Structures are given as structure tokens and as C-alpha cells.
Amino acid sequence: MKTGTLILAEQPQSLSDFAERCLFNSDIGQKLVVTHQARQLLDNGLLSLQTAGTILPISNTVFPSRPVLLMPREMPKRRLDSNEGKAAFFHALAHIEFVAIYLAWDIIYRFPGLPDDFYRDWLIIADEEAQHFKLIRTHLLGLGFDYGDLPAHRGLWSHAEDTSDDILARLAIVPRCMEARGLDVTPGMMDKLVAIDDQPGLAILRRIYDDEVGHVERGSYWFNNLARQRGLEPEHCFKDLILNYFKGKPKGPFNREVRIIAGFSNNEIDWLEERLHE
């Protein structure tokens, strides 16, 4: 069978099976193929969206042996005005998008019993993250590097581990904190690519930015929806979870206009900005 070919009789039809094949398998190519296959089945109405079976601990998640993972403070600093610097920049982005595939699959796998639309939303997000990763990896290969050739930081997945037992905490910290940070910083990153006239790289960042607004919006929607189901006031709940789970305080400045589109309230953004001055 050719890589990437969808043969329905040979593929699992359960969303849980697809999630396990992505979370507990280190093969990058297979992870991308399986994610795209699941999306194709979803689009054709051939995928059961309710997860089932035993949920393995998040510590069982399997990552590739490369890249070498370092603490953020240990990551080398490089400038964009060299090929190596550009490669480091896009390698860091590739790593963010690669881990984002895991994050989308893990929220599907780890939290059963939610509405079908929840799993549909996050499978679409997983597929878009896989597309982002492929775009960046192709651009990186054009610079003479592949994903795994450079070190990457280990901070992203720790937020999934910290929130593995609470769907509201996961939604508050991952899409509404970590991914929302991308809405704040990506315009500045795009300006840097304009300055060095990297038009292909700029097009990739624009595509990712547009998609990530939708990802954060889905995080906001489901956070607010599920908080209200628990009888909680969403804004108050969000603030409590950020203070309980986030190490330190979220960094600003905050892109208010785009965060509003992505489901944040003005009160939430006011609170985040106030914390900048504490």
C-alpha cells in the first residue's frame, strides 16, 4: 500500500484507535498519514466519534528520539540574518506544530463522553496542525535542514501533562493560553520575514496564523460551554485556572482585536493586561 493511500477496509474506524496510533507511535510519517486518514473518514461520515476503551496514562505517550529536547533557557540564540538562523527559526516553528498534533489528539483521547462536535472540532484541528508541520518541514528542507536536526524546547508538552485530569484546565492552558500566545507574537514574526524577504516563509506563517485564530476560538467556545455545564462562570473560572496551572503569568502585550475574534472577552484581556503591571 502506498504511503498516504486510504483503504477503508484496512483502517480502524474508531476515533480512539486513530488517537492511539498517533499518540503511542514515534514514526512521524505514519502519524501524519493516520491523521489525514482520520480526517478523510470524518469528511465521508465513516468515523465513529465517540471514544471507547481504556485510556492509557499520558506518560505513555511516545515521541521521536529526535529532536533533542532542552529547557527553554538552554536553547541557543540565533539571528534570522543567516541560513542557520532561519533554519533554527523554522525548526522551532516545526516543533510547535508537531507537538500541536499531539495536543489535538490527546484532548480527543483523554477526555471521553463529550459531544460529537467536540471531537469533530479537534480532529479538524489535528489535521490542520499536521498540514502546518508539513509546510514548515518542506520549507526547512529547502534550507538544508530537517526536523530533528536541531534541538527543541520541552516546555509545550508539560502543559498537557499538568492538565491531563481536567478538561477545563486543558482548554484554559493549551488553546486559551499557549496557542493564544501565537496570536500575539505571529504578526511580529511575519514582519521579520518581510524584512529578510522570505516570501514562501511568510505565506506559511500567514496560513498558520489564520488557522490558529480558529483553533483558539474553538478552545474558547468549548471552555465557555463546558464551564457553564458545570455551573461555573467562565471568566472567573478561566482566571482561577490560569493562576493555578500557569507557571508565572502570561506574557504580553496581547493582541486584543484578534483575541476577541478568537473568543476572549474584553474583561479577560483587561485582566491579563493588568497582571503585566503587578
Side-chain angles (χ1 to χ4, degrees):
M1 183 177 71
K2 294 181 180 180
T3 301
T5 301
L6 178 62
I7 299 181
L8 300 181
E10 295 184 6
Q11 300 302 328
Q13 308 297 296
S14 161
L15 189 59
S16 313
D17 291 338
F18 277 101
E20 289 185 355
R21 292 176 66 190
C22 286
L23 293 170
F24 308 119
N25 177 2
S26 65
D27 186 276
I28 294 174
Q30 181 69 8
K31 197 180 310 294
L32 301 177
V33 167
V34 167
T35 300
H36 295 324
Q37 288 175 343
R39 172 69 186 275
Q40 290 175 20
L41 287 170
L42 174 73
D43 290 345
N44 287 286
L46 298 172
L47 186 65
S48 170
L49 289 170
Q50 283 301 313
T51 56
T54 301
I55 298 172
L56 298 175
I58 197 167
S59 58
N60 286 32
T61 308
V62 178
F63 289 90
S65 59
R66 298 170 69 232
V68 174
L69 299 180
L70 304 176
M71 295 302 293
R73 64 179 178 274
E74 298 170 338
M75 292 292 294
K77 305 295 184 184
R78 295 185 174 93
R79 294 169 55 91
L80 264 177
D81 56 4
S82 68
N83 188 70
E84 291 75 14
K86 283 178 61 176
F89 174 81
F90 282 102
H91 190 276
L93 291 179
H95 182 64
I96 290 169
E97 299 301 321
F98 185 68
V99 175
I101 302 169
Y102 277 86
L103 291 170
W105 275 114
D106 190 75
I107 203 171
I108 289 169
Y109 176 75
R110 198 151 305 284
F111 301 102
L114 295 170
D116 280 359
D117 283 346
F118 178 90
Y119 301 113
R120 183 177 292 108
D121 283 346
W122 250 268
L123 176 51
I124 291 170
I125 289 171
D127 185 53
E128 289 179 350
E129 304 290 17
Q131 293 175 45
H132 298 168
F133 174 76
K134 289 171 69 175
L135 287 169
I136 299 171
R137 190 182 192 186
T138 299
H139 192 59
L140 190 60
L141 287 168
L143 298 172
F145 293 82
D146 195 3
Y147 178 63
D149 288 349
L150 299 172
H153 69 81
R154 64 170 67 250
L156 290 172
W157 187 247
S158 65
H159 294 291
E161 295 170 329
D162 292 344
T163 59
S164 63
D165 61 350
D166 186 347
I167 182 61
L168 286 181
R170 174 65 65 87
L171 290 167
I173 299 302
V174 176
R176 301 201 83 221
C177 187
M178 302 310 296
E179 289 189 78
R181 181 63 183 146
L183 307 184
D184 304 326
V185 303
T186 302
M189 293 161 59
M190 289 192 287
D191 288 344
K192 292 180 179 179
L193 294 184
V194 169
I196 62 172
D197 196 28
D198 184 351
Q199 294 301 319
L202 179 62
I204 293 170
L205 253 65
R206 283 179 175 151
R207 157 72 191 280
I208 292 173
Y209 185 64
D210 290 343
D211 287 347
E212 292 297 337
V213 174
H215 299 178
V216 177
E217 187 279 330
R218 287 293 82 193
S220 296
Y221 171 84
W222 286 109
F223 178 83
N224 293 334
N225 183 292
L226 297 174
R228 292 189 184 103
Q229 285 186 21
R230 292 187 185 183
L232 301 171
E233 198 286 310
E235 288 183 4
H236 183 75
C237 182
F238 174 70
K239 295 171 187 178
D240 282 347
L241 289 168
I242 292 294
L243 293 175
N244 287 337
Y245 283 89
F246 192 77
K247 306 299 188 291
K249 60 184 179 181
K251 296 180 179 179
F254 301 98
N255 189 338
R256 181 178 292 265
E257 180 181 358
V258 176
R259 279 181 178 251
I260 292 294
I261 295 170
F264 281 80
S265 69
N266 275 306
N267 286 338
E268 287 172 327
I269 301 170
D270 288 343
W271 177 78
L272 291 169
E273 290 179 338
E274 287 169 6
R275 286 186 54 79
L276 287 177
H277 308 297
E278 291 180 3

